[in-house]
Amino acid sequence: MVQVAPEIPVTQLNDGADSADEFTARTQEIANDICRQAKKIDTLVESLPGVSVSESEQEREFVELSQENDAATRELEEANKRARVLLGDISGILREIADNAGKQKSETTKQW
């Protein structure tokens, strides 16, 4: 163990501690890992949409996307209305079929 300063005495060895070379190697490995992660973060940030465009371009794109979203919402609502009408029509037809089948069955039963 290395004494850091003369006024701070080394009182006890830590048997589980790394040697100076191992400590340096681990420190270097951690520093390299930090650098790699920082580069990954920079790459991710650069790939974010709108990072390289001006604020006015971002606002313009936001307005366009908002208008597209509104149009898609209207289309969805119209499709939903059409689906509800079709569901009502199909339910009515199925009810008629069931009623007719029930009438035919009762008429057939009366004939016997």
Side-chain angles (χ1 to χ4, degrees):
M1 186 170 226
V2 178
Q3 187 171 3
V4 179
E7 62 275 1
I8 302 173
V10 176
T11 56
Q12 184 177 7
L13 280 176
N14 185 346
D15 294 332
D18 292 338
S19 69
D21 291 339
E22 289 172 335
F23 178 78
T24 302
R26 287 182 193 263
T27 304
Q28 186 63 42
E29 183 180 342
I30 291 170
N32 288 337
D33 286 344
I34 290 171
C35 289
R36 274 193 296 276
Q37 294 302 322
K39 287 179 184 178
K40 286 181 184 178
I41 291 170
D42 287 343
T43 302
L44 290 172
V45 167
E46 287 300 318
S47 70
L48 289 172
V51 171
S52 60
V53 296
S54 70
E55 186 175 336
S56 62
E57 289 172 333
Q58 289 179 11
E59 288 175 3
R60 182 187 51 74
E61 186 174 355
F62 177 78
V63 168
E64 284 178 17
L65 290 173
S66 181
Q67 290 170 348
E68 288 176 23
N69 187 46
D70 291 344
T73 300
R74 284 190 298 275
E75 287 178 29
L76 178 63
E77 289 171 351
E78 289 172 15
N80 192 9
K81 286 177 188 175
R82 287 192 306 271
R84 288 176 190 257
V85 168
L86 288 173
L87 179 61
D89 293 347
I90 291 170
S91 294
I93 291 169
L94 290 174
R95 232 178 274 111
E96 285 180 32
I97 292 171
D99 290 345
N100 289 338
K103 287 177 186 176
Q104 287 177 354
K105 186 176 182 180
S106 65
E107 288 175 10
T108 305
T109 308
K110 287 179 186 178
Q111 291 176 358
W112 288 93

XYZ file of all heavy atoms in Angstrom, residues 29-107:
611
model
N -9.937 0.821 -17.774
C -11.072 0.112 -18.383
C -12.375 0.878 -18.139
O -13.196 1.030 -19.051
C -11.168 -1.296 -17.803
C -12.265 -2.129 -18.409
C -12.328 -3.520 -17.794
O -11.354 -3.958 -17.158
O -13.375 -4.159 -17.950
N -12.551 1.371 -16.934
C -13.761 2.138 -16.613
C -13.794 3.434 -17.424
O -14.839 3.812 -17.966
C -13.838 2.429 -15.098
C -14.098 1.124 -14.343
C -14.919 3.456 -14.786
C -13.961 1.244 -12.837
N -12.654 4.093 -17.549
C -12.588 5.326 -18.338
C -12.935 5.050 -19.800
O -13.669 5.817 -20.436
C -11.203 5.953 -18.219
N -12.444 3.931 -20.343
C -12.755 3.562 -21.728
C -14.252 3.280 -21.889
O -14.868 3.679 -22.882
C -11.941 2.344 -22.169
C -10.475 2.675 -22.371
O -10.118 3.824 -22.603
N -9.622 1.674 -22.270
N -14.828 2.575 -20.918
C -16.266 2.302 -20.963
C -17.075 3.596 -20.952
O -18.053 3.733 -21.688
C -16.690 1.430 -19.779
C -16.259 -0.017 -19.937
O -15.899 -0.429 -21.067
O -16.283 -0.740 -18.919
N -16.670 4.533 -20.122
C -17.371 5.820 -20.047
C -17.288 6.539 -21.390
O -18.284 7.091 -21.878
C -16.802 6.690 -18.906
C -17.190 6.081 -17.555
C -17.292 8.134 -19.010
C -16.508 6.723 -16.362
N -16.122 6.532 -22.016
C -15.961 7.185 -23.326
C -16.841 6.523 -24.384
O -17.479 7.203 -25.190
C -14.499 7.157 -23.764
S -13.446 8.247 -22.804
N -16.877 5.179 -24.392
C -17.725 4.470 -25.361
C -19.195 4.829 -25.159
O -19.924 5.079 -26.117
C -17.534 2.959 -25.227
C -16.368 2.417 -26.034
C -16.420 0.895 -26.121
N -16.279 0.234 -24.837
C -15.116 -0.045 -24.248
N -13.988 0.283 -24.846
N -15.079 -0.645 -23.081
N -19.635 4.847 -23.908
C -21.031 5.181 -23.631
C -21.342 6.623 -24.030
O -22.430 6.910 -24.543
C -21.359 4.949 -22.150
C -21.299 3.498 -21.713
C -22.240 2.614 -22.514
O -23.349 3.004 -22.867
N -21.794 1.406 -22.817
N -20.407 7.527 -23.797
C -20.615 8.927 -24.183
C -20.757 9.041 -25.697
O -21.606 9.795 -26.201
C -19.453 9.789 -23.689
N -19.953 8.290 -26.452
C -20.073 8.305 -27.915
C -21.414 7.750 -28.352
O -22.044 8.272 -29.282
C -18.931 7.502 -28.548
C -17.592 8.199 -28.474
C -16.489 7.360 -29.093
C -15.139 8.033 -28.915
N -14.046 7.229 -29.456
N -21.880 6.672 -27.706
C -23.192 6.110 -28.037
C -24.300 7.124 -27.784
O -25.222 7.273 -28.580
C -23.456 4.844 -27.217
C -22.676 3.634 -27.664
C -23.034 2.433 -26.791
C -22.219 1.217 -27.135
N -22.541 0.069 -26.266
N -24.204 7.817 -26.663
C -25.206 8.830 -26.318
C -25.200 9.946 -27.357
O -26.256 10.388 -27.824
C -24.979 9.382 -24.897
C -25.302 8.297 -23.871
C -25.811 10.640 -24.639
C -24.892 8.635 -22.454
N -24.013 10.407 -27.745
C -23.912 11.455 -28.765
C -24.554 11.008 -30.069
O -25.277 11.773 -30.719
C -22.446 11.833 -29.014
C -21.852 12.637 -27.869
O -22.626 13.180 -27.050
O -20.610 12.729 -27.798
N -24.305 9.763 -30.460
C -24.884 9.227 -31.695
C -26.399 9.187 -31.599
O -27.103 9.564 -32.550
C -24.335 7.807 -31.972
O -22.914 7.876 -32.066
C -24.909 7.236 -33.240
N -26.919 8.748 -30.466
C -28.369 8.705 -30.275
C -28.986 10.101 -30.305
O -30.043 10.313 -30.909
C -28.716 7.997 -28.964
C -28.453 6.498 -28.929
C -28.657 5.958 -27.514
C -29.354 5.768 -29.899
N -28.341 11.037 -29.659
C -28.856 12.405 -29.636
C -28.878 12.983 -31.053
O -29.846 13.629 -31.464
C -28.029 13.297 -28.688
C -28.341 14.772 -28.882
C -28.269 12.892 -27.240
N -27.823 12.738 -31.825
C -27.761 13.245 -33.191
C -28.831 12.621 -34.079
O -29.270 13.229 -35.053
C -26.381 12.993 -33.793
C -25.299 13.893 -33.230
C -25.579 15.373 -33.472
O -26.016 15.735 -34.586
O -25.368 16.169 -32.547
N -29.246 11.402 -33.758
C -30.244 10.736 -34.588
C -31.669 11.149 -34.236
O -32.613 10.757 -34.928
C -30.102 9.214 -34.468
O -30.498 8.779 -33.194
N -31.836 11.918 -33.169
C -33.177 12.376 -32.800
C -33.725 13.307 -33.879
O -32.994 14.135 -34.417
C -33.146 13.120 -31.460
C -32.894 12.277 -30.230
C -32.693 13.184 -29.009
C -34.032 11.315 -29.988
N -35.011 13.170 -34.193
C -35.577 14.043 -35.214
C -35.626 15.482 -34.717
O -35.947 15.743 -33.567
C -36.993 13.489 -35.419
C -37.299 12.724 -34.181
C -35.980 12.237 -33.641
N -35.279 16.395 -35.594
C -35.381 17.804 -35.259
C -34.164 18.394 -34.589
O -34.132 19.595 -34.345
N -33.153 17.598 -34.303
C -31.983 18.135 -33.621
C -31.209 19.078 -34.535
O -30.676 20.092 -34.102
C -31.073 16.986 -33.122
C -29.746 17.516 -32.617
C -31.777 16.215 -32.026
N -31.187 18.765 -35.832
C -30.377 19.559 -36.754
C -31.184 20.601 -37.516
O -30.687 21.186 -38.465
C -29.678 18.623 -37.744
O -30.651 17.890 -38.475
N -32.448 20.842 -37.114
C -33.259 21.839 -37.805
C -33.559 23.000 -36.882
O -33.512 22.866 -35.658
C -34.578 21.221 -38.350
C -34.297 20.179 -39.401
C -35.403 20.645 -37.254
N -33.933 24.105 -37.485
C -34.189 25.303 -36.688
C -35.523 25.192 -35.952
O -36.352 24.333 -36.242
C -34.220 26.529 -37.594
O -35.380 26.484 -38.413
N -35.720 26.100 -35.022
C -36.945 26.094 -34.227
C -38.161 26.355 -35.106
O -39.208 25.730 -34.938
C -36.852 27.149 -33.122
C -38.020 27.123 -32.161
C -37.849 28.092 -31.009
O -36.717 28.446 -30.671
O -38.889 28.483 -30.442
N -38.031 27.264 -36.079
C -39.172 27.557 -36.953
C -39.523 26.349 -37.818
O -40.702 26.078 -38.068
C -38.885 28.774 -37.835
O -37.781 28.518 -38.691
N -38.503 25.599 -38.261
C -38.776 24.381 -39.032
C -39.462 23.331 -38.155
O -40.364 22.629 -38.613
C -37.480 23.814 -39.620
C -36.911 24.654 -40.740
C -35.538 24.190 -41.181
O -34.812 23.593 -40.350
O -35.181 24.411 -42.343
N -39.026 23.238 -36.905
C -39.668 22.305 -35.976
C -41.127 22.688 -35.758
O -42.011 21.821 -35.731
C -38.928 22.280 -34.639
C -37.589 21.605 -34.691
C -36.885 21.627 -33.330
O -37.483 21.959 -32.321
N -35.615 21.265 -33.322
N -41.398 23.994 -35.600
C -42.768 24.458 -35.408
C -43.614 24.156 -36.640
O -44.763 23.708 -36.522
C -42.788 25.958 -35.107
C -42.279 26.302 -33.726
C -42.197 27.790 -33.470
O -42.596 28.590 -34.359
O -41.730 28.179 -32.394
N -43.065 24.386 -37.835
C -43.772 24.109 -39.080
C -44.102 22.621 -39.175
O -45.223 22.237 -39.495
C -42.938 24.536 -40.282
C -43.637 24.323 -41.624
C -42.717 24.607 -42.806
N -41.437 23.912 -42.736
C -41.267 22.604 -42.966
N -42.282 21.830 -43.262
N -40.066 22.067 -42.903
N -43.127 21.773 -38.855
C -43.344 20.328 -38.902
C -44.393 19.911 -37.868
O -45.237 19.051 -38.139
C -42.037 19.580 -38.659
C -42.175 18.087 -38.828
C -40.851 17.348 -38.719
O -39.795 17.983 -38.598
O -40.896 16.104 -38.736
N -44.356 20.535 -36.700
C -45.345 20.229 -35.668
C -46.750 20.572 -36.148
O -47.686 19.798 -35.950
C -45.025 20.986 -34.371
C -46.046 20.768 -33.297
C -46.044 19.600 -32.548
C -47.034 21.716 -33.049
C -46.995 19.385 -31.568
C -47.987 21.504 -32.068
C -47.960 20.338 -31.328
N -46.907 21.729 -36.804
C -48.218 22.138 -37.318
C -48.689 21.144 -38.371
O -49.853 20.713 -38.368
C -48.154 23.574 -37.887
C -49.406 23.909 -38.673
C -47.955 24.573 -36.754
N -47.796 20.735 -39.270
C -48.148 19.755 -40.304
C -48.591 18.430 -39.669
O -49.615 17.854 -40.062
C -46.967 19.500 -41.230
C -46.699 20.594 -42.223
C -45.476 20.299 -43.085
O -45.034 19.129 -43.148
O -44.960 21.243 -43.692
N -47.813 17.957 -38.710
C -48.153 16.700 -38.050
C -49.469 16.811 -37.296
O -50.264 15.868 -37.280
C -47.026 16.273 -37.103
C -45.737 15.825 -37.782
C -44.641 15.606 -36.740
C -45.952 14.570 -38.598
N -49.717 17.950 -36.696
C -50.966 18.167 -35.975
C -52.150 18.139 -36.940
O -53.190 17.544 -36.645
C -50.912 19.501 -35.236
O -52.101 19.719 -34.529
N -51.987 18.760 -38.116
C -53.050 18.751 -39.116
C -53.288 17.337 -39.640
O -54.437 16.912 -39.811
C -52.704 19.693 -40.269
C -52.750 21.152 -39.878
C -52.188 22.078 -40.941
O -51.553 21.643 -41.900
N -52.415 23.375 -40.779
N -52.214 16.592 -39.879
C -52.350 15.202 -40.317
C -53.069 14.377 -39.253
O -53.921 13.534 -39.567
C -50.981 14.587 -40.607
C -50.312 15.093 -41.860
C -48.923 14.511 -42.044
O -48.627 13.433 -41.480
O -48.122 15.143 -42.748
N -52.731 14.624 -38.000
C -53.364 13.903 -36.895
C -54.857 14.228 -36.829
O -55.685 13.334 -36.632
C -52.676 14.250 -35.573
C -53.193 13.411 -34.428
O -53.339 12.208 -34.543
N -53.475 14.075 -33.313
N -55.201 15.498 -37.012
C -56.612 15.894 -36.996
C -57.370 15.211 -38.132
O -58.492 14.730 -37.942
C -56.745 17.420 -37.107
C -56.250 18.144 -35.864
O -56.094 17.488 -34.807
O -56.009 19.368 -35.950
N -56.775 15.175 -39.325
C -57.424 14.530 -40.473
C -57.602 13.035 -40.213
O -58.664 12.464 -40.496
C -56.604 14.762 -41.743
N -56.580 12.396 -39.661
C -56.672 10.965 -39.359
C -57.740 10.707 -38.300
O -58.472 9.719 -38.378
C -55.312 10.446 -38.892
N -57.869 11.612 -37.340
C -58.896 11.477 -36.306
C -60.284 11.570 -36.927
O -61.171 10.777 -36.598
C -58.723 12.559 -35.220
O -57.438 12.399 -34.619
C -59.799 12.474 -34.153
N -60.477 12.522 -37.848
C -61.775 12.649 -38.521
C -62.086 11.394 -39.336
O -63.211 10.887 -39.311
C -61.790 13.885 -39.421
C -61.938 15.197 -38.650
C -62.192 16.375 -39.577
N -61.108 16.615 -40.513
C -60.020 17.329 -40.261
N -59.866 17.864 -39.053
N -59.093 17.507 -41.166
N -61.091 10.873 -40.051
C -61.291 9.647 -40.820
C -61.675 8.487 -39.911
O -62.567 7.696 -40.241
C -60.020 9.290 -41.598
C -59.735 10.175 -42.778
C -58.436 9.799 -43.473
O -58.037 8.613 -43.431
O -57.814 10.693 -44.056
N -61.005 8.393 -38.783
C -61.301 7.320 -37.835
C -62.722 7.452 -37.301
O -63.451 6.464 -37.199
C -60.288 7.342 -36.683
C -60.503 6.310 -35.579
C -60.374 4.894 -36.136
C -59.515 6.529 -34.448
N -63.136 8.664 -36.969
C -64.488 8.877 -36.460
C -65.529 8.523 -37.523
O -66.560 7.911 -37.226
C -64.657 10.324 -35.991
C -63.898 10.622 -34.709
C -63.868 12.093 -34.342
O -64.304 12.943 -35.175
O -63.399 12.406 -33.234
N -65.266 8.888 -38.787
C -66.195 8.551 -39.872
C -66.258 7.040 -40.068
O -67.346 6.477 -40.257
C -65.767 9.245 -41.162
C -65.992 10.751 -41.137
C -65.380 11.453 -42.351
O -65.031 10.765 -43.339
O -65.257 12.686 -42.312
N -65.134 6.379 -40.030
C -65.104 4.918 -40.178
C -65.842 4.264 -39.019
O -66.570 3.278 -39.219
C -63.659 4.425 -40.246
N -65.701 4.817 -37.844
C -66.396 4.293 -36.667
C -67.909 4.441 -36.838
O -68.668 3.522 -36.527
C -65.908 5.019 -35.413
C -66.348 4.341 -34.139
O -66.875 3.244 -34.155
N -66.134 5.008 -33.018
N -68.355 5.607 -37.349
C -69.784 5.805 -37.592
C -70.307 4.804 -38.614
O -71.377 4.210 -38.424
C -70.047 7.233 -38.083
C -69.937 8.286 -37.014
C -70.150 9.673 -37.603
C -69.852 10.757 -36.582
N -69.951 12.102 -37.166
N -69.559 4.622 -39.716
C -69.981 3.663 -40.742
C -70.048 2.251 -40.160
O -70.979 1.495 -40.461
C -69.022 3.694 -41.939
C -69.160 4.943 -42.796
C -68.410 4.812 -44.116
N -67.008 4.464 -43.983
C -65.999 5.315 -43.857
N -66.242 6.619 -43.824
N -64.755 4.901 -43.757
N -69.074 1.906 -39.326
C -69.060 0.572 -38.716
C -70.271 0.380 -37.810
O -70.876 -0.695 -37.793
C -67.764 0.366 -37.938
N -70.650 1.416 -37.072
C -71.818 1.312 -36.190
C -73.108 1.130 -37.006
O -73.988 0.361 -36.628
C -71.927 2.528 -35.282
C -70.881 2.557 -34.195
C -70.991 3.847 -33.384
N -69.867 3.988 -32.506
C -69.901 3.742 -31.207
N -71.018 3.338 -30.650
N -68.832 3.911 -30.467
N -73.208 1.853 -38.130
C -74.377 1.705 -38.990
C -74.428 0.284 -39.544
O -75.482 -0.366 -39.528
C -74.342 2.747 -40.131
C -75.380 2.439 -41.191
C -74.550 4.153 -39.561
N -73.300 -0.210 -40.032
C -73.253 -1.572 -40.562
C -73.594 -2.595 -39.483
O -74.309 -3.566 -39.747
C -71.874 -1.872 -41.148
C -71.540 -1.183 -42.470
C -70.077 -1.435 -42.848
C -72.462 -1.665 -43.569
N -73.085 -2.379 -38.293
C -73.389 -3.288 -37.182
C -74.888 -3.306 -36.908
O -75.482 -4.363 -36.705
C -72.614 -2.882 -35.929
C -72.858 -3.723 -34.682
C -72.448 -5.176 -34.915
C -72.103 -3.144 -33.492
N -75.500 -2.132 -36.932
C -76.951 -2.056 -36.736
C -77.695 -2.790 -37.845
O -78.655 -3.538 -37.582
N -77.274 -2.578 -39.097
C -77.906 -3.270 -40.220
C -77.769 -4.779 -40.083
O -78.742 -5.526 -40.252
C -77.285 -2.821 -41.551
C -77.592 -1.368 -41.888
O -78.479 -0.776 -41.231
O -76.930 -0.820 -42.801
N -76.583 -5.247 -39.781
C -76.336 -6.684 -39.651
C -77.140 -7.256 -38.484
O -77.739 -8.321 -38.599
C -74.824 -6.966 -39.484
C -74.105 -6.643 -40.791
C -74.573 -8.402 -39.062
C -72.597 -6.651 -40.688
N -77.181 -6.526 -37.381
C -77.965 -6.992 -36.227
C -79.432 -7.118 -36.608
O -80.112 -8.099 -36.237
C -77.815 -6.033 -35.049
O -76.492 -6.048 -34.565
N -79.953 -6.139 -37.341
C -81.341 -6.190 -37.780
C -81.603 -7.379 -38.691
O -82.619 -8.079 -38.552
N -80.715 -7.613 -39.641
C -80.865 -8.743 -40.557
C -80.811 -10.064 -39.794
O -81.623 -10.970 -40.045
C -79.784 -8.686 -41.655
C -80.047 -7.494 -42.579
C -79.730 -9.984 -42.447
C -78.916 -7.179 -43.527
N -79.888 -10.186 -38.871
C -79.787 -11.417 -38.077
C -81.044 -11.630 -37.239
O -81.516 -12.758 -37.081
C -78.536 -11.395 -37.192
C -77.202 -11.512 -37.925
C -76.041 -11.330 -36.953
C -77.093 -12.845 -38.641
N -81.613 -10.538 -36.707
C -82.844 -10.635 -35.941
C -83.979 -11.149 -36.830
O -84.763 -12.019 -36.450
C -83.210 -9.268 -35.353
C -83.469 -9.308 -33.873
C -83.794 -7.944 -33.263
N -82.560 -7.235 -32.911
C -82.098 -6.146 -33.519
N -82.752 -5.586 -34.507
N -80.983 -5.583 -33.138
N -84.071 -10.597 -38.051
C -85.101 -11.049 -38.996
C -84.923 -12.523 -39.333
O -85.900 -13.280 -39.375
C -85.036 -10.224 -40.283
C -85.593 -8.829 -40.158
C -85.497 -8.067 -41.468
O -85.589 -8.696 -42.550
O -85.323 -6.843 -41.407
N -83.686 -12.933 -39.577
C -83.416 -14.341 -39.885
C -83.836 -15.226 -38.723
O -84.488 -16.258 -38.906
C -81.925 -14.554 -40.240
C -81.604 -13.875 -41.569
C -81.582 -16.036 -40.276
C -80.120 -13.837 -41.905
N -83.475 -14.816 -37.519
C -83.831 -15.604 -36.337
C -85.349 -15.654 -36.160
O -85.912 -16.711 -35.847
C -83.169 -15.014 -35.093
N -86.025 -14.511 -36.366
C -87.483 -14.487 -36.250
C -88.132 -15.391 -37.290
O -89.040 -16.155 -36.986
C -88.020 -13.054 -36.394
C -87.669 -12.176 -35.208
O -87.262 -12.726 -34.160
O -87.785 -10.935 -35.336
N -87.660 -15.303 -38.528
C -88.202 -16.139 -39.605
C -87.943 -17.609 -39.341
O -88.819 -18.448 -39.597
C -87.636 -15.733 -40.961
C -88.166 -14.393 -41.429
O -89.229 -13.954 -40.975
N -87.444 -13.739 -42.318
N -86.785 -17.938 -38.849
C -86.473 -19.340 -38.549
C -87.383 -19.842 -37.444
O -87.864 -20.979 -37.491
C -85.007 -19.488 -38.151
N -87.652 -18.997 -36.467
C -88.545 -19.372 -35.376
C -89.976 -19.565 -35.867
O -90.675 -20.491 -35.468
N -90.440 -18.689 -36.783
C -91.784 -18.795 -37.340
C -91.918 -20.065 -38.177
O -92.913 -20.776 -38.089
C -92.102 -17.574 -38.207
C -92.341 -16.317 -37.422
C -92.587 -15.143 -38.345
C -92.689 -13.846 -37.570
N -92.829 -12.686 -38.463
N -90.900 -20.331 -38.991
C -90.944 -21.536 -39.832
C -90.976 -22.796 -38.975
O -91.690 -23.750 -39.272
C -89.750 -21.573 -40.789
C -89.852 -20.574 -41.910
C -88.624 -20.583 -42.804
O -87.648 -21.269 -42.518
N -88.683 -19.809 -43.884
N -90.217 -22.784 -37.902
C -90.174 -23.953 -37.020
C -91.530 -24.166 -36.365
O -92.036 -25.287 -36.284
C -89.071 -23.785 -35.972
C -88.872 -25.005 -35.110
C -87.711 -24.812 -34.174
C -87.494 -26.071 -33.354
N -86.393 -25.948 -32.425
N -92.146 -23.074 -35.910
C -93.455 -23.212 -35.246
C -94.515 -23.631 -36.257
O -95.419 -24.394 -35.935
C -93.837 -21.930 -34.525
O -94.033 -20.890 -35.443
N -94.454 -23.158 -37.502
C -95.411 -23.560 -38.527
C -95.222 -25.017 -38.881
O -96.190 -25.758 -39.083
C -95.240 -22.684 -39.782
C -95.740 -21.263 -39.585
C -95.442 -20.383 -40.794
O -95.019 -20.914 -41.840
O -95.645 -19.181 -40.676
